[in-house]
Amino acid sequence: MTRRERDPLVVGRVIGDVLDSFTKSINLTISYNDREVNNACKVMVDPDAPSPSDPNLREYLHW
């Protein structure tokens, strides 16, 4: 399995479903009130909400 296939955004179908595939060119750090946001740690997009067969809430802000 390649590194790209293990990427949580690929596994969770955020890349490929919500976003087009892309090549990362810079590192990005996001934080809110001194809490860092990392891939797969705080879900902003849930590609299978409420369910994989009906993902009509996938771009709803869940937190």
Side-chain angles (χ1 to χ4, degrees):
M1 185 176 285
T2 67
R3 183 180 189 149
R4 178 89 174 153
E5 292 168 336
R6 289 189 307 252
D7 185 318
L9 297 176
V10 174
V11 173
R13 296 190 340 245
V14 173
I15 295 175
D17 186 16
V18 179
L19 298 173
D20 292 335
S21 185
F22 62 92
T23 301
K24 183 171 123 177
S25 59
I26 62 170
N27 289 325
L28 177 67
T29 302
I30 300 172
S31 61
Y32 294 98
N33 297 327
D34 297 326
R35 294 186 70 185
E36 189 172 332
V37 177
N38 294 304
N39 291 344
C41 292
K42 301 202 178 27
V43 176
M44 291 185 211
V45 174
D46 188 352
D48 61 357
S51 70
S53 62
D54 183 23
N56 63 31
L57 296 176
R58 68 177 163 220
E59 295 193 43
Y60 179 81
L61 184 60
H62 295 279
W63 52 274

